[in-house]
Amino acid sequence: MDRSARAFWLRSPGHGEIRDVTLPEPSRDEVVVRTLWSGVSRGTETLVFRGGVPGSQHTVMRAPFQEGDFPGPVKYGYLNVGVVEEGPEHLTGRTVFCLYPHQTRYVVPLAAVTPVPESVPAARAVLAGTVETAVNALWDAPPLIGDRVAVVGGGMIGCSVAALLARFPGVRLQLVDADPARAATAAALGVDFAAPEDALGECDLVVHASATERGLARSLELVRTEGTVLELSWYGDRLVSLPLGEAFHSRRLVLRSSQVGTVSPARRATRDYGDRLALALDLLTDPALDALVTGESAFDELPDLLPKLVSGEVPALCHRIRYGDQNGK
């Protein structure tokens, strides 16, 4: 069996390259996966590409199959969908999701791959890691039936959270973003859209995912007295100023962080990482989530693509990467 592969590496901040790789022989407890699709998470991966991971977070921010170290050279990524070429009979030929970087083929332990349900197209399954983040967030600050909720920031994470919240009964929900182009995405998800100045207030829960000071400040304005703002943004090496004077204390507001690196304490006793990822894949049966994929490029284009995503020349939520000859799935 051919053991050659190709992988995308960040050589140094702002400079990517594709390297040849020789795969190891798989053990009995490993599988060989041929990549069909991978996804570029515009927020985290562009921050990594520009070298914005703080030194204090180099260990925390490591991806499961990362090679190298921040700021570079480093092989980074975690949205990979492929087909098992070698492995146990029950998995061979199956489409699987894995938290693996951008690479044409790879060898990982059996436990590292999760079968993609037959009802979920492989091309949509690249969203599993992002939907998993949304699941964890809504475990951290669960909305109740009839709640008034705003999601501030219509990026990949914010839209994923909004898509799941749209399924909650009786919820008044708005996706809030300064970019009017996000209105079309909100419509595709079945969610009301508002510009920040027009957003409805007195929210029981505000989920903030814009990664901007202005967005977080507006979130605190939109939440009701004793309400919760759930912070999903990650600012990397940027300092953030926040208005915690005025009525912040008298209104008894809650500002809470959420991070996908650990299973939410609310479900840790009954769910593990595998359960959470399997749930995210099941939720991807909804074709409305295709709206989160806003671009597509070939694997060989990655070194030229990442700088354009960082600069905003190529606007994107999730930018999908295709590998070789696809079956169109």
Side-chain angles (χ1 to χ4, degrees):
M1 178 69 72
D2 181 20
R3 296 295 180 215
S4 63
R6 303 171 71 215
F8 175 74
W9 278 74
L10 174 63
R11 184 175 69 249
S12 61
H15 303 282
E17 63 185 10
I18 292 177
R19 299 181 179 181
D20 291 329
V21 177
T22 299
L23 302 181
E25 287 292 327
S27 70
R28 295 179 61 183
D29 296 325
E30 293 180 320
V31 290
V32 179
V33 179
R34 173 173 54 84
T35 304
L36 298 173
W37 304 94
S38 64
V40 179
S41 177
R42 187 175 183 273
T44 304
E45 289 197 57
T46 57
L47 187 145
V48 169
F49 190 79
R50 68 173 178 83
V53 179
S56 64
Q57 298 299 300
H58 282 189
T59 299
V60 175
M61 279 293 296
R62 287 191 69 87
F65 295 100
Q66 174 180 323
E67 294 182 37
D69 297 299
F70 304 118
V74 63
K75 183 175 75 173
Y76 189 85
Y78 49 84
L79 302 174
N80 191 298
V81 177
V83 60
V84 176
E85 290 188 322
E86 296 179 58
E89 185 176 348
H90 73 280
L91 276 179
T92 302
R94 287 289 305 273
T95 301
V96 294
F97 178 85
C98 184
L99 297 168
Y100 204 87
H102 308 283
Q103 184 166 311
T104 57
R105 297 166 72 234
Y106 53 92
V107 178
V108 292
L110 282 169
V113 299
T114 302
V116 175
E118 293 184 2
S119 55
V120 177
R124 188 187 304 151
V126 296
L127 297 168
T130 306
V131 173
E132 183 184 13
T133 300
V135 167
N136 206 60
L138 295 178
W139 282 348
D140 275 335
L144 300 177
I145 186 169
D147 271 0
R148 295 159 294 186
V149 184
V151 177
V152 177
M156 192 173 172
I157 297 297
C159 284
S160 295
V161 172
L164 299 190
L165 283 168
R167 306 177 182 207
F168 280 71
V171 165
R172 186 197 79 185
L173 174 64
Q174 282 191 317
L175 180 64
V176 180
D177 199 283
D179 182 359
R182 288 288 179 259
T185 306
L189 297 174
V191 176
D192 186 30
F193 176 82
E197 62 272 17
D198 299 324
L200 298 174
E202 288 299 303
C203 293
D204 302 287
L205 171 66
V206 177
V207 179
H208 178 243
S210 80
T212 65
E213 288 184 7
R214 184 175 298 179
L216 183 51
R218 183 60 175 143
S219 297
L220 291 170
E221 293 173 349
L222 293 175
V223 73
R224 64 166 172 80
T225 297
E226 298 186 344
T228 296
V229 174
L230 184 69
E231 176 61 279
L232 295 185
S233 303
W234 195 65
Y235 299 90
D237 56 1
R238 287 183 292 140
L239 296 178
V240 177
S241 297
L242 188 61
L244 297 183
E246 300 181 353
F248 177 80
H249 290 283
S250 63
R251 294 176 62 211
R252 298 179 59 84
L253 302 183
V254 175
L255 177 59
R256 180 173 184 176
S257 65
S258 178
Q259 212 275 336
V260 73
T262 58
V263 174
S264 169
R267 293 294 180 271
R268 197 174 298 160
T270 57
R271 306 289 200 282
D272 60 20
Y273 291 100
D275 295 327
R276 191 178 64 184
L277 181 55
L279 173 59
L281 283 163
D282 285 339
L283 291 169
L284 281 166
T285 56
D286 186 353
L289 289 162
D290 286 331
L292 303 187
V293 179
T294 53
E296 183 178 306
S297 300
F299 171 72
D300 287 339
E301 298 173 25
L302 267 171
D304 295 325
L305 172 68
L306 262 296
K308 295 175 182 177
L309 288 173
V310 171
S311 69
E313 180 181 344
V314 175
L317 294 175
C318 176
H319 196 93
R320 189 165 55 203
I321 307 301
R322 63 179 182 274
Y323 292 72
D325 183 23
Q326 295 299 325
N327 297 320
K329 310 315 190 265

